Amino acid sequence: MKRFTCDELAEQLTAYLDDALDQPTRAGVRAHLSGCEGCARFLDQFRATVRALGDQPPEKLSAPVRDRLMSAFRERHP
Amino acid sequence: MGSFEGGGLPPDDIVVSALRAGDEEMFAALLDTWSRGMLRVARSYVSTDHSAEEVVQDTWLAVIDGIGAFEARSSIKTWVYRILVNTAKKRGVRESRTLPWSAFERDGAPPREFGPSPDGRVGAVAAWPTPEGEALAAEVRALIAEALGRLPPRQRVVISLRDVEGCTSEEVCEILEISPANQRVLLHRARTAVRGWLAGYYEAVKQPE
Ligand SMILES: [Zn+2]
Protein backbone atom coordinates (compact mmCIF):
# COMPACT_ATOMS: atom_id res chain seq x y z
CA MET A 1 0.00 0.00 0.00
CA LYS A 2 1.22 3.48 -0.86
CA ARG A 3 1.39 6.34 1.63
CA PHE A 4 0.50 9.90 0.71
CA THR A 5 0.81 13.37 2.12
CA CYS A 6 -2.38 15.44 1.84
CA ASP A 7 -0.99 17.33 -1.16
CA GLU A 8 -0.02 14.14 -2.96
CA LEU A 9 -3.43 12.68 -2.22
CA ALA A 10 -5.26 15.60 -3.80
CA GLU A 11 -3.31 14.99 -7.03
CA GLN A 12 -4.70 11.43 -7.21
CA LEU A 13 -8.39 12.28 -6.92
CA THR A 14 -9.34 12.48 -10.60
CA ALA A 15 -7.60 9.17 -11.27
CA TYR A 16 -9.25 7.75 -8.13
CA LEU A 17 -12.73 8.83 -9.25
CA ASP A 18 -12.02 7.42 -12.75
CA ASP A 19 -10.97 4.13 -11.12
CA ALA A 20 -7.67 4.43 -12.99
CA LEU A 21 -5.31 3.71 -10.07
CA ASP A 22 -3.43 0.46 -9.55
CA GLN A 23 -4.42 -1.57 -6.53
CA PRO A 24 -1.71 -0.45 -4.04
CA THR A 25 -2.26 3.21 -4.92
CA ARG A 26 -6.02 2.90 -4.59
CA ALA A 27 -5.63 1.18 -1.23
CA GLY A 28 -3.33 3.99 -0.10
CA VAL A 29 -5.85 6.63 -1.17
CA ARG A 30 -8.64 4.84 0.69
CA ALA A 31 -6.54 4.45 3.83
CA HIS A 32 -5.57 8.12 3.81
CA LEU A 33 -9.17 9.23 3.21
CA SER A 34 -10.49 7.14 6.09
CA GLY A 35 -7.99 8.69 8.48
CA CYS A 36 -7.92 12.30 7.27
CA GLU A 37 -11.03 14.40 7.71
CA GLY A 38 -9.64 17.28 5.66
CA CYS A 39 -8.96 15.13 2.59
CA ALA A 40 -12.30 13.34 2.93
CA ARG A 41 -14.01 16.72 2.86
CA PHE A 42 -11.85 17.86 -0.05
CA LEU A 43 -13.01 14.78 -1.96
CA ASP A 44 -16.64 15.67 -1.12
CA GLN A 45 -16.05 19.14 -2.52
CA PHE A 46 -14.37 17.69 -5.59
CA ARG A 47 -17.41 15.48 -6.19
CA ALA A 48 -19.76 18.41 -5.58
CA THR A 49 -17.78 20.38 -8.17
CA VAL A 50 -18.22 17.62 -10.75
CA ARG A 51 -21.96 17.49 -9.98
CA ALA A 52 -22.27 21.27 -10.30
CA LEU A 53 -20.51 21.12 -13.68
CA GLY A 54 -23.09 18.61 -14.88
CA ASP A 55 -25.85 21.03 -13.97
CA GLN A 56 -25.14 23.58 -16.71
CA PRO A 57 -28.18 24.50 -18.78
CA PRO A 58 -28.12 22.79 -22.21
CA GLU A 59 -27.12 24.93 -25.16
CA LYS A 60 -29.26 24.94 -28.27
CA LEU A 61 -28.83 25.59 -31.95
CA SER A 62 -30.89 28.58 -33.03
CA ALA A 63 -34.06 27.72 -34.95
CA PRO A 64 -32.82 29.15 -38.31
CA VAL A 65 -29.61 27.10 -38.19
CA ARG A 66 -31.47 23.95 -37.20
CA ASP A 67 -33.96 24.51 -40.06
CA ARG A 68 -31.13 25.12 -42.53
CA LEU A 69 -29.44 21.86 -41.50
CA MET A 70 -32.67 19.89 -41.75
CA SER A 71 -33.23 21.17 -45.29
CA ALA A 72 -29.62 20.45 -46.25
CA PHE A 73 -30.15 16.86 -45.07
CA ARG A 74 -33.44 16.63 -46.98
CA GLU A 75 -31.89 17.97 -50.20
CA ARG A 76 -29.22 15.26 -50.03
CA HIS A 77 -31.92 12.60 -49.96
CA PRO A 78 -34.75 13.74 -52.23
CA MET B 1 -39.25 4.80 -36.32
CA GLY B 2 -40.03 5.87 -32.73
CA SER B 3 -38.91 8.98 -30.96
CA PHE B 4 -35.55 9.01 -29.17
CA GLU B 5 -36.61 11.59 -26.62
CA GLY B 6 -35.62 10.60 -23.15
CA GLY B 7 -33.89 7.45 -24.31
CA GLY B 8 -30.46 6.91 -25.77
CA LEU B 9 -29.64 6.72 -29.44
CA PRO B 10 -29.72 3.31 -31.13
CA PRO B 11 -26.46 1.48 -31.96
CA ASP B 12 -24.12 3.01 -34.54
CA ASP B 13 -24.90 0.64 -37.41
CA ILE B 14 -28.59 1.55 -37.17
CA VAL B 15 -27.80 5.26 -36.94
CA VAL B 16 -25.47 5.13 -39.95
CA SER B 17 -27.82 3.20 -42.22
CA ALA B 18 -30.72 5.46 -41.23
CA LEU B 19 -28.67 8.56 -42.11
CA ARG B 20 -27.62 7.04 -45.43
CA ALA B 21 -31.28 6.22 -46.16
CA GLY B 22 -32.26 9.83 -45.49
CA ASP B 23 -34.15 9.19 -42.23
CA GLU B 24 -34.98 12.75 -41.15
CA GLU B 25 -36.09 11.76 -37.68
CA MET B 26 -32.74 10.13 -37.01
CA PHE B 27 -30.84 13.18 -38.27
CA ALA B 28 -32.99 15.43 -36.08
CA ALA B 29 -32.32 13.20 -33.07
CA LEU B 30 -28.55 13.46 -33.56
CA LEU B 31 -28.80 17.18 -34.16
CA ASP B 32 -30.71 17.71 -30.94
CA THR B 33 -28.67 15.31 -28.85
CA TRP B 34 -25.13 16.31 -29.85
CA SER B 35 -25.34 19.95 -30.87
CA ARG B 36 -25.41 21.21 -27.28
CA GLY B 37 -22.08 19.60 -26.47
CA MET B 38 -20.70 20.60 -29.85
CA LEU B 39 -21.56 24.25 -29.23
CA ARG B 40 -19.81 24.08 -25.87
CA VAL B 41 -16.69 22.52 -27.34
CA ALA B 42 -16.62 24.94 -30.30
CA ARG B 43 -16.74 27.83 -27.85
CA SER B 44 -13.43 26.70 -26.35
CA TYR B 45 -11.73 27.38 -29.70
CA VAL B 46 -13.49 30.43 -31.13
CA SER B 47 -14.24 33.79 -29.66
CA THR B 48 -17.97 34.38 -30.14
CA ASP B 49 -21.26 32.50 -29.80
CA HIS B 50 -21.90 33.27 -33.46
CA SER B 51 -18.63 31.67 -34.62
CA ALA B 52 -19.32 28.67 -32.41
CA GLU B 53 -22.68 28.16 -34.06
CA GLU B 54 -21.13 28.46 -37.52
CA VAL B 55 -18.55 25.85 -36.60
CA VAL B 56 -21.32 23.49 -35.51
CA GLN B 57 -23.29 24.21 -38.67
CA ASP B 58 -20.26 23.55 -40.90
CA THR B 59 -19.61 20.33 -39.00
CA TRP B 60 -23.12 19.02 -39.63
CA LEU B 61 -22.85 19.94 -43.31
CA ALA B 62 -19.60 17.95 -43.47
CA VAL B 63 -21.35 15.05 -41.73
CA ILE B 64 -24.18 15.12 -44.29
CA ASP B 65 -21.58 15.07 -47.08
CA GLY B 66 -19.34 12.47 -45.50
CA ILE B 67 -21.70 9.91 -43.98
CA GLY B 68 -21.59 7.84 -47.18
CA ALA B 69 -17.85 7.39 -46.73
CA PHE B 70 -17.88 6.83 -42.93
CA GLU B 71 -15.90 3.65 -42.27
CA ALA B 72 -16.80 2.97 -38.64
CA ARG B 73 -13.18 2.96 -37.50
CA SER B 74 -14.45 4.99 -34.54
CA SER B 75 -17.89 5.53 -33.12
CA ILE B 76 -20.08 7.89 -35.10
CA LYS B 77 -20.14 10.31 -32.16
CA THR B 78 -16.33 10.44 -32.05
CA TRP B 79 -16.22 10.91 -35.80
CA VAL B 80 -18.66 13.85 -35.65
CA TYR B 81 -16.80 15.45 -32.74
CA ARG B 82 -13.46 15.10 -34.53
CA ILE B 83 -14.84 16.91 -37.53
CA LEU B 84 -16.06 19.54 -35.09
CA VAL B 85 -12.69 19.93 -33.38
CA ASN B 86 -10.85 20.20 -36.71
CA THR B 87 -13.34 22.76 -38.01
CA ALA B 88 -13.15 24.73 -34.78
CA LYS B 89 -9.35 24.65 -34.74
CA LYS B 90 -9.14 26.04 -38.28
CA ARG B 91 -11.62 28.73 -37.41
CA GLY B 92 -9.77 29.46 -34.16
CA VAL B 93 -6.51 29.89 -36.07
CA ARG B 94 -8.21 32.42 -38.36
CA GLU B 95 -9.36 34.22 -35.25
CA SER B 96 -5.82 33.70 -33.90
CA ARG B 97 -6.89 31.78 -30.86
CA THR B 98 -4.46 28.96 -31.40
CA LEU B 99 -4.20 26.00 -29.09
CA PRO B 100 -0.72 24.51 -28.91
CA TRP B 101 -1.87 21.06 -27.86
CA SER B 102 1.61 19.72 -27.58
CA ALA B 103 2.41 22.32 -24.96
CA PHE B 104 -0.42 21.42 -22.61
CA GLU B 105 2.03 21.52 -19.71
CA ARG B 106 1.96 25.26 -19.94
CA ASP B 107 -1.47 25.32 -18.35
CA GLY B 108 -0.03 25.71 -14.92
CA ALA B 109 -1.89 24.18 -12.04
CA PRO B 110 -3.60 26.82 -9.96
CA PRO B 111 -2.22 27.27 -6.48
CA ARG B 112 -3.94 25.05 -4.00
CA GLU B 113 -5.18 26.70 -0.86
CA PHE B 114 -5.91 23.40 0.75
CA GLY B 115 -4.06 21.43 3.36
CA PRO B 116 -4.11 20.78 7.02
CA SER B 117 -3.72 24.04 8.87
CA PRO B 118 -0.36 24.57 10.55
CA ASP B 119 -1.73 23.74 13.97
CA GLY B 120 -2.95 20.39 12.67
CA ARG B 121 -6.67 21.14 12.70
CA VAL B 122 -8.75 20.13 9.72
CA GLY B 123 -11.02 23.16 9.77
CA ALA B 124 -9.15 24.59 6.77
CA VAL B 125 -11.53 22.72 4.49
CA ALA B 126 -15.04 23.84 5.32
CA ALA B 127 -18.18 21.88 4.54
CA TRP B 128 -20.22 23.33 1.65
CA PRO B 129 -23.89 24.01 1.90
CA THR B 130 -26.09 21.87 -0.33
CA PRO B 131 -27.43 24.18 -3.04
CA GLU B 132 -31.07 23.48 -2.21
CA GLY B 133 -32.45 26.94 -2.79
CA GLU B 134 -33.11 27.80 -6.43
CA ALA B 135 -31.39 31.16 -6.00
CA LEU B 136 -28.17 29.54 -4.78
CA ALA B 137 -28.33 26.90 -7.54
CA ALA B 138 -28.70 29.64 -10.17
CA GLU B 139 -25.73 31.53 -8.73
CA VAL B 140 -23.61 28.40 -8.74
CA ARG B 141 -24.62 27.71 -12.35
CA ALA B 142 -23.58 31.22 -13.37
CA LEU B 143 -20.32 30.93 -11.47
CA ILE B 144 -19.51 27.61 -13.16
CA ALA B 145 -20.23 29.13 -16.59
CA GLU B 146 -17.85 31.98 -15.81
CA ALA B 147 -15.23 29.62 -14.43
CA LEU B 148 -15.32 27.53 -17.63
CA GLY B 149 -14.65 30.68 -19.64
CA ARG B 150 -11.62 31.48 -17.51
CA LEU B 151 -9.93 28.11 -17.88
CA PRO B 152 -7.03 27.65 -20.29
CA PRO B 153 -8.56 26.37 -23.56
CA ARG B 154 -7.29 22.80 -23.40
CA GLN B 155 -8.55 22.34 -19.86
CA ARG B 156 -11.83 23.90 -20.87
CA VAL B 157 -12.41 21.49 -23.74
CA VAL B 158 -11.65 18.45 -21.61
CA ILE B 159 -13.77 19.43 -18.62
CA SER B 160 -16.62 20.53 -20.90
CA LEU B 161 -16.67 17.15 -22.61
CA ARG B 162 -16.21 15.07 -19.47
CA ASP B 163 -18.08 16.82 -16.69
CA VAL B 164 -20.55 19.11 -18.44
CA GLU B 165 -21.51 16.83 -21.34
CA GLY B 166 -20.81 13.51 -19.70
CA CYS B 167 -18.46 11.96 -22.28
CA THR B 168 -16.28 9.04 -21.15
CA SER B 169 -12.52 9.47 -20.85
CA GLU B 170 -12.07 7.10 -23.81
CA GLU B 171 -14.28 9.31 -25.96
CA VAL B 172 -12.40 12.45 -24.94
CA CYS B 173 -9.02 10.87 -25.71
CA GLU B 174 -10.22 9.80 -29.14
CA ILE B 175 -11.89 13.10 -29.98
CA LEU B 176 -8.90 15.21 -28.94
CA GLU B 177 -6.24 12.63 -29.88
CA ILE B 178 -4.53 12.82 -26.52
CA SER B 179 -3.31 10.11 -24.17
CA PRO B 180 -5.34 9.02 -21.15
CA ALA B 181 -2.63 10.51 -18.90
CA ASN B 182 -2.79 13.90 -20.62
CA GLN B 183 -6.55 13.84 -20.50
CA ARG B 184 -6.49 13.18 -16.77
CA VAL B 185 -3.93 15.90 -16.05
CA LEU B 186 -6.00 18.49 -17.95
CA LEU B 187 -9.22 17.35 -16.30
CA HIS B 188 -7.67 17.35 -12.86
CA ARG B 189 -6.25 20.85 -13.23
CA ALA B 190 -9.56 22.12 -14.54
CA ARG B 191 -11.54 20.53 -11.71
CA THR B 192 -9.08 21.79 -9.13
CA ALA B 193 -9.41 25.34 -10.48
CA VAL B 194 -13.21 25.20 -10.59
CA ARG B 195 -13.32 23.75 -7.08
CA GLY B 196 -11.14 26.62 -5.90
CA TRP B 197 -13.50 29.21 -7.40
CA LEU B 198 -16.51 27.46 -5.89
CA ALA B 199 -14.79 27.33 -2.51
CA GLY B 200 -14.12 31.06 -2.73
CA TYR B 201 -17.77 31.66 -3.53
CA TYR B 202 -19.06 29.54 -0.64
CA GLU B 203 -16.60 31.26 1.68
CA ALA B 204 -17.95 34.65 0.59
CA VAL B 205 -21.64 33.76 1.01
CA LYS B 206 -21.16 31.91 4.28
CA GLN B 207 -23.45 33.09 7.05
CA PRO B 208 -21.50 34.44 10.01
CA GLU B 209 -21.90 32.04 12.90
ZN1 LIG C 1 -5.08 14.32 4.11
Side-chain angles (χ1 to χ4, degrees):
Chain A
M1 187 176 85
K2 265 196 179 167
R3 295 192 176 280
F4 297 103
T5 66
C6 293
D7 274 336
E8 286 163 354
L9 186 104
E11 286 308 306
Q12 300 295 328
L13 290 183
T14 290
Y16 177 67
L17 292 176
D18 269 356
D19 205 12
L21 296 174
D22 57 34
Q23 204 281 327
T25 311
R26 189 169 57 238
V29 168
R30 290 219 172 108
H32 185 114
L33 285 170
S34 65
C36 178
E37 203 183 322
C39 283
R41 193 166 279 171
F42 188 80
L43 176 63
D44 284 346
Q45 295 182 351
F46 214 71
R47 285 202 171 107
T49 302
V50 175
R51 270 198 305 279
L53 281 156
D55 190 36
Q56 283 288 289
E59 310 212 13
K60 261 184 97 168
L61 280 181
S62 66
V65 169
R66 191 182 182 282
D67 291 348
R68 207 172 303 144
L69 288 168
M70 285 308 296
S71 9
F73 184 76
R74 225 169 277 134
E75 279 161 28
R76 256 322 259 231
H77 306 274
Chain B
M1 191 162 279
S3 164
F4 306 114
E5 259 173 66
L9 295 162
D12 270 15
D13 51 340
I14 295 178
V15 172
V16 173
S17 42
L19 289 183
R20 286 178 178 160
D23 182 333
E24 283 181 38
E25 200 184 334
M26 182 68 81
F27 183 67
L30 295 189
L31 208 52
D32 295 335
T33 309
W34 292 341
S35 290
R36 47 170 284 182
M38 291 164 71
L39 283 165
R40 209 175 271 291
V41 168
R43 196 153 305 146
S44 312
Y45 294 88
V46 300
S47 43
T48 67
D49 289 357
H50 179 73
S51 303
E53 192 166 57
E54 281 187 358
V55 165
V56 173
Q57 176 180 295
D58 291 351
T59 302
W60 283 116
L61 292 173
V63 169
I64 293 169
D65 277 342
I67 190 66
F70 172 68
E71 286 175 2
R73 274 187 298 224
S74 64
S75 74
I76 173 117
K77 182 182 179 187
T78 302
W79 179 68
V80 171
Y81 265 92
R82 273 163 89 152
I83 297 175
L84 174 87
V85 167
N86 287 329
T87 310
K89 274 184 186 166
K90 276 186 215 143
R91 177 82 183 224
V93 169
R94 284 216 305 282
E95 293 178 359
S96 56
R97 277 193 71 184
T98 46
L99 297 184
W101 277 92
S102 55
F104 76 95
E105 296 86 352
R106 266 186 261 150
D107 295 334
R112 215 174 120 238
E113 78 286 18
F114 160 70
S117 50
D119 58 1
R121 284 180 298 111
V122 295
V125 182
W128 287 356
T130 26
E132 277 160 356
E134 196 38 51
L136 181 61
E139 272 188 37
V140 168
R141 239 175 262 134
L143 181 130
I144 296 272
E146 198 196 326
L148 288 169
R150 277 153 71 183
L151 288 172
R154 285 163 297 278
Q155 293 182 25
R156 181 179 178 178
V157 183
V158 171
I159 200 171
S160 294
L161 284 167
R162 283 291 309 271
D163 290 344
V164 185
E165 298 301 329
C167 291
T168 65
S169 56
E170 291 77 15
E171 285 174 331
V172 176
C173 291
E174 267 196 64
I175 290 165
L176 301 175
E177 302 179 278
I178 55 178
S179 71
N182 286 5
Q183 191 256 167
R184 205 168 299 123
V185 167
L186 290 166
L187 179 63
H188 188 74
R189 286 178 183 168
R191 284 175 173 174
T192 304
V194 175
R195 190 216 68 91
W197 285 319
L198 263 181
Y201 166 77
Y202 283 127
E203 188 62 31
V205 299
K206 198 170 63 182
Q207 303 293 329
E209 277 159 39

